[in-house]
Amino acid sequence: MRKLRDFIFFTLILAIFIALFGVPIWRVTQAAFLGLPVENQTPQFTLGYFTAIFADPMLRAGLFNSVMIALLTTVLCVLIAMPLAILANRYDFLGKSLFSGLVLVPLILPPFVGAIGMRQLLGRNGAFTAILQNVGWISPGEPFDWLHFRLLGIVLVQALGLYPILYLNLTAALANIDPAMQHAAANLGASRWTIFRRITLPLMRPGLFAGGTLVLIWSFTELGTPLMFDFYITTPVQVYKKLGQVTANPIPYALVVLMMAGSILLYVCGKVLLGRSQDTAVSKASIQSATTRLGFIKSIPVIVIFTLIACLAMLPHVSVVLMSLCAPGTWYESALPKVFTRQHYLNALTHPLAVPSVRNSVMFASLSTIVDILLGLWIAAMIVRSKLPRIFRAALDSLAMLPLAVPGTVMAFGYLAVSLQIKAYLSSRNMPSLAGLFDVQNNPTLVLVVAYAMRRLPYVVRSAVAGLQQTPEDLELASRNLGASPMLTLRRITVPLIAANLIAGALLAFAFAMLEVSDSLILAQKEQYWPITKAIYELFQRIGDGPFIASALGVWAMLILTLTILSTNALLGRKMGAIFRV
């Protein structure tokens, strides 16, 4: 009886994913290969839209730039994160907890917002140029635009914002390596470089793959950062610029399919290059991994490395904070603003764009988090507690993690396409009330909540799975034997036992939904329903005090994510890295 119930639940969960995940992707793919439906005409399969993309030099350049941004960002993230992870795993140095926390600071600010600060720092008359002029390295009156090569600026901002995801995965992978293997290699005369190359690196490849995959796909499909740099020759931005053509032109759909294919190709290449899966590549430590305790003098080089990376990573954050306190026109050809003011924070509390956007984001993120908790707990219970065959549970676990691997821009565009199709169908059936629920152009609430929930569901699932795996099933079985219903057992026994994990996953889901970029920019088209990220982008485009109010909103966003990351880290500790893993 229980097996039958589990199979029914598995089917229901599969149906939900097909409806909310598979259908949007299928709708985009269908339009890319068959074109948009035309009355009294049978759709015909064609590759013409893809041919048109590759025949267009601007669209070809967009694909090339997107791939280059992804590869360069991932390589730079590896160069930053790997030394930090190795040092943190190998040594116990003075202030380790403090410096380990500092290198995670970029998690509190999306690259999208950090681009505001980086533009101010590296612009033609920005702070960096002013500093070099003051020390005599650049002649006064000859400013240099450090962002002339905007692609490199995008890579820098994204790498400084995304390397903590790789760092968390690498530290988790290193913690699982059995030190006995390294000791044995050392006893056989292997040098440190040989041990790293032949032992450590192969065993940490699963963490490298898990974090690297997320960075690769995230940077390949990033929409907000190129927009903030006014760099429009990337595929995500080109898709965004063609939103007005979605009802008449299949080219945007073909671009989205190419973006999805590119993400899959990058994922497969990473899988091939980085080797085996986590289960086969990482051995659980048979003995406790011992760190070498460093004295004050020997701690200095390690502290310098952590401090240097932390300072570089915090540059965009510091710049955003300074912009939010800077009077308009007073941070020009100077290292610091000449006049400070708190007016932008006051304006952010009264501006007709700022306050409604915060309210909208809180509402959308709260509703999506509730969906994530209910659905995520259900999926986690099926993965850990059900009597399904192992292959079904593994498939369910992989399915729950898919939203991390599928580009947000692809999913947002898919939801847009599906909502327009449903709206047209319901309108043709004289059901205007139902059609209004799916009318993204007038009220995107329902679609945005669903999009946010599906994109952040993996955080709750992974947290709940970790909690259930650490909780003995005996108490639940005892409750059932005493006559308690499954729901009562869940409410009185299971949920209280894994409450910390659920809260951690829910906090991450809420915070990242609050600051979701792709879904917000693509789906929120009416000003009345703009979330905070859409408001930041629109304010940044406006002359006058717009960029400064946008910076103030960015600081509020920073505070939200800071509290979230600190709370989640306190609840999950080292297991936090598992949340950012596909």
Side-chain angles (χ1 to χ4, degrees):
M1 183 65 181
R2 182 175 177 180
K3 284 188 176 182
L4 176 61
R5 185 198 66 188
D6 288 342
F7 271 109
I8 293 174
F9 284 168
F10 176 83
T11 304
L12 289 175
I13 293 173
L14 188 62
I16 291 173
F17 269 88
I18 290 174
L20 301 182
F21 196 80
V23 170
I25 294 176
W26 166 249
R27 176 70 187 97
V28 172
T29 306
Q30 183 185 42
F33 287 102
L34 300 178
L36 297 172
V38 179
E39 192 174 353
N40 299 324
Q41 289 188 17
T42 303
Q44 298 292 325
F45 179 85
T46 179
L47 296 177
Y49 307 119
F50 296 96
T51 304
I53 289 174
F54 286 107
D56 188 322
M58 292 298 292
L59 297 181
R60 282 203 315 271
L63 285 168
F64 176 80
N65 288 337
S66 295
V67 172
M68 289 302 299
I69 288 171
L71 294 177
L72 292 174
T73 299
T74 306
V75 170
L76 188 53
C77 283
V78 171
L79 294 177
I80 295 172
M82 186 175 289
L84 294 178
I86 292 172
L87 290 173
N89 176 261
R90 185 172 295 173
Y91 300 113
D92 186 8
F93 52 92
L94 294 176
K96 180 177 180 178
S97 298
L98 171 64
F99 290 105
S100 297
L102 284 177
V103 296
L104 295 180
V105 163
L107 282 176
I108 69 173
L109 188 68
F112 164 74
V113 180
I116 299 175
M118 195 58 75
R119 284 191 61 168
Q120 180 61 40
L121 286 175
L122 301 179
R124 183 174 178 82
N125 295 290
F128 192 54
T129 296
I131 292 172
L132 294 182
Q133 287 176 343
N134 291 335
V135 298
W137 289 8
I138 294 180
S139 301
E142 297 182 7
F144 181 77
D145 187 2
W146 300 94
L147 294 177
H148 176 72
F149 301 101
R150 294 184 183 272
L151 185 145
L152 296 180
I154 294 169
V155 169
L156 179 62
V157 169
Q158 292 189 166
L160 290 177
L162 298 178
Y163 81 84
I165 295 175
L166 192 57
Y167 172 78
L168 287 170
N169 278 279
L170 290 177
T171 51
L174 287 168
N176 283 331
I177 294 177
D178 192 338
M181 303 178 70
Q182 298 166 321
H183 295 163
N187 292 335
L188 291 172
S191 65
R192 285 192 174 185
W193 169 245
T194 301
I195 293 173
F196 173 76
R197 183 171 56 87
R198 301 293 297 274
I199 304 294
T200 307
L201 184 59
L203 292 177
M204 68 190 293
R205 281 186 302 184
L208 190 60
F209 171 72
T213 299
L214 282 181
V215 172
L216 198 66
I217 294 175
W218 190 325
S219 54
F220 176 66
T221 61
E222 171 68 11
L223 171 61
T225 307
L227 277 176
M228 299 302 275
F229 274 96
D230 297 327
F231 187 76
Y232 302 136
I233 312 176
T234 69
T235 301
V237 175
Q238 288 169 337
V239 170
Y240 178 71
K241 293 296 183 180
K242 292 181 180 294
L243 283 180
Q245 305 175 23
V246 293
T247 58
N249 186 0
I251 294 295
Y253 296 90
L255 270 175
V256 172
V257 170
L258 280 178
M259 196 189 315
M260 184 167 55
S263 299
I264 294 172
L265 181 61
L266 291 173
Y267 177 90
V268 172
C269 289
K271 188 75 170 175
V272 171
L273 291 174
L274 297 176
R276 299 167 293 177
S277 67
Q278 181 178 357
D279 292 336
T280 58
V282 174
S283 58
K284 295 294 182 181
S286 59
I287 61 175
Q288 181 69 30
S289 178
T291 57
T292 302
R293 186 169 185 81
L294 302 179
F296 176 75
I297 300 298
K298 291 186 176 180
S299 293
I300 292 177
V302 180
I303 291 174
V304 168
I305 294 173
F306 271 80
T307 303
L308 179 62
I309 297 300
C311 289
L312 286 174
M314 286 190 290
L315 276 177
H317 306 68
V318 173
S319 184
V320 170
V321 172
L322 289 175
M323 277 198 70
S324 70
L325 295 169
C326 167
T330 63
W331 196 3
Y332 183 78
E333 295 183 341
S334 61
L336 293 172
K338 298 173 184 175
V339 179
F340 289 91
T341 178
R342 293 175 294 177
Q343 187 62 40
H344 305 311
Y345 287 94
L346 298 176
N347 291 343
L349 296 175
T350 58
H351 196 279
L353 278 184
V355 177
S357 71
V358 174
R359 184 175 61 246
N360 290 336
S361 287
V362 170
M363 180 182 69
F364 299 150
S366 299
L367 292 174
S368 68
T369 303
I370 293 172
V371 174
D372 282 337
I373 292 173
L374 297 175
L375 186 56
L377 181 58
W378 186 20
I379 294 173
M382 293 293 295
I383 293 171
V384 180
R385 296 286 193 253
S386 73
K387 299 300 180 182
L388 289 171
R390 184 175 181 179
I391 188 172
F392 282 84
R393 288 185 281 121
L396 194 58
D397 187 47
S398 299
L399 192 65
M401 294 301 109
L402 262 183
L404 287 179
V406 177
T409 307
V410 171
M411 290 305 303
F413 200 86
Y415 284 121
L416 175 63
V418 170
S419 66
L420 292 175
Q421 186 179 31
I422 294 176
K423 175 193 169 185
Y425 174 80
L426 293 174
S427 298
S428 67
R429 296 294 185 274
N430 294 320
M431 291 185 281
S433 298
L434 284 176
L437 291 175
F438 297 93
D439 189 355
V440 171
Q441 295 168 324
N442 287 316
N443 187 350
T445 299
L446 176 62
V447 181
L448 271 176
V449 169
V450 171
Y452 285 176
M454 290 303 296
R455 292 273 294 140
R456 305 306 167 193
L457 178 63
Y459 300 152
V460 179
V461 172
R462 190 62 81 197
S463 297
V465 165
L468 290 172
Q469 288 174 338
Q470 296 168 347
T471 304
E473 194 177 0
D474 298 348
L475 295 175
E476 298 171 40
L477 294 176
S479 173
R480 299 291 301 277
N481 290 335
L482 291 173
S485 66
M487 286 302 298
L488 182 61
T489 301
L490 178 70
R491 182 167 57 87
R492 300 291 296 274
I493 304 295
T494 308
V495 171
L497 287 174
I498 65 169
N501 296 78
L502 281 178
I503 292 171
L507 283 173
L508 279 178
F510 176 82
F512 282 102
M514 279 280 294
L515 299 174
E516 175 62 41
V517 177
S518 299
D519 293 328
S520 300
L521 294 182
I522 292 175
L523 296 175
Q525 300 181 17
K526 195 172 184 178
E527 182 177 317
Q528 179 184 351
Y529 297 97
W530 282 354
I532 187 171
T533 46
K534 180 86 170 188
I536 288 174
Y537 173 66
E538 294 294 337
L539 282 168
F540 185 73
Q541 304 301 309
R542 301 187 180 190
I543 60 174
D545 63 352
F548 303 95
I549 298 176
S551 298
L553 281 176
V555 173
W556 290 123
M558 242 191 285
L559 293 175
I560 292 170
L561 264 182
T562 300
L563 295 174
T564 302
I565 297 298
L566 291 176
S567 302
T568 306
N569 192 53
L571 291 169
L572 293 183
R574 277 189 171 185
K575 294 182 176 61
M576 184 173 166
I579 290 178
F580 299 97
R581 180 177 298 154
V582 292

